[in-house]
Amino acid sequence: MCGRYYFDPQIDLTDLKRKLSTHYTQDQLCELKTGEVFPGDIVLTITEFGPALMNWGYNLFTKKIINTRIESIKELNYYDQDYRHNKCLIAVSGFYEWSNDKQCYYMTLKNTPFYLAGIYQNNQPFNHFSIITTRAEQTYNIHQRIPLVFSRMEAAAYLNNQYTIEQLSQIKPELIVKKIPKTSL
């Protein structure tokens, strides 16, 4: 489960902001969150149409869902349309997971930024998204679920519908895991 992630504010977003400025007002662009990102924040995503600003929190009846199990996408009709037509990627530098004893771990890849898989709902002025999670293997001793993590090449294939749900469940990148001292939180 992913309840917080990090997007390095030092990453140059000049070109992306220029593209985004054709779809969003300057006030909306100012809402873009970098650094530590929490549910409800407006963040950078990538769709098949290009970069987009979205709100982290998918509306499911009366709840805001921040994570969606890949198994639920397969089993529940509620997600069917958005999974087929509204896939997105969430650009991140890393994400956080907590163990049962409340120890925080920061997880990243060798090459950053990288992408988390998501689905989104059309909304105004910002679409709403949820991060897709899968069963953890490498980090199962920390947390049983992790976001579905993609390299750049895998990310493009995801947006182009080149994976079945079963294939997505098999993607298991080699994460770099760092224990965060409890005094740092």
Side-chain angles (χ1 to χ4, degrees), residues 2-166:
C2 182
R4 187 170 81 183
Y5 68 84
Y6 185 77
F7 186 79
D8 188 346
Q10 301 301 315
I11 294 173
D12 184 9
L13 298 177
T14 306
D15 290 338
L16 285 173
K17 284 185 176 180
R18 191 175 9 260
K19 290 178 185 176
L20 290 167
S21 69
T22 62
H23 301 289
Y24 301 96
T25 66
Q26 191 58 43
D27 286 344
Q28 290 170 329
L29 287 172
C30 287
E31 292 188 51
L32 174 61
K33 180 78 185 301
T34 59
E36 288 205 35
V37 177
F38 298 88
D41 286 341
I42 305 300
V43 300
L44 175 65
T45 65
I46 310 293
T47 71
E48 64 183 298
F49 306 109
L53 297 182
M54 291 193 199
N55 183 300
W56 184 7
Y58 187 96
N59 296 312
L60 185 61
F61 307 110
T62 60
K63 296 181 179 180
K64 286 269 192 193
I65 304 298
I66 62 170
N67 296 302
T68 301
R69 292 174 174 250
I70 196 161
E71 301 87 350
S72 296
I73 292 172
K74 183 177 181 179
E75 296 164 5
L76 302 176
N77 290 337
Y78 184 80
Y79 298 106
D80 192 51
Q81 285 294 95
D82 289 332
Y83 177 73
R84 280 197 267 141
H85 303 291
N86 293 340
K87 290 184 176 84
C88 65
L89 300 166
I90 302 92
V92 303
S93 301
F95 60 93
Y96 300 92
E97 293 293 353
W98 282 262
S99 63
N100 287 337
D101 65 351
K102 308 272 190 256
Q103 175 61 56
C104 180
Y105 294 84
Y106 180 73
M107 300 182 190
T108 189
L109 294 180
K110 184 177 180 181
N111 296 313
T112 64
F114 58 95
Y115 302 96
L116 307 180
I119 56 173
Y120 70 92
Q121 300 167 310
N122 292 312
N123 240 316
Q124 291 297 324
F126 302 109
N127 293 333
H128 292 234
F129 75 91
S130 175
I131 294 171
I132 298 174
T133 65
T134 189
R135 185 179 186 281
E137 289 187 12
Q138 175 191 352
T139 59
Y140 191 82
N141 62 324
I142 297 169
H143 199 280
Q144 295 175 353
R145 311 277 316 166
I146 62 165
L148 187 52
V149 175
F150 292 134
S151 67
R152 288 187 179 128
M153 194 168 66
E154 292 163 334
Y158 172 71
L159 286 182
N160 292 318
N161 294 312
Q162 295 177 358
Y163 291 117
T164 65
I165 289 179
E166 290 77 15

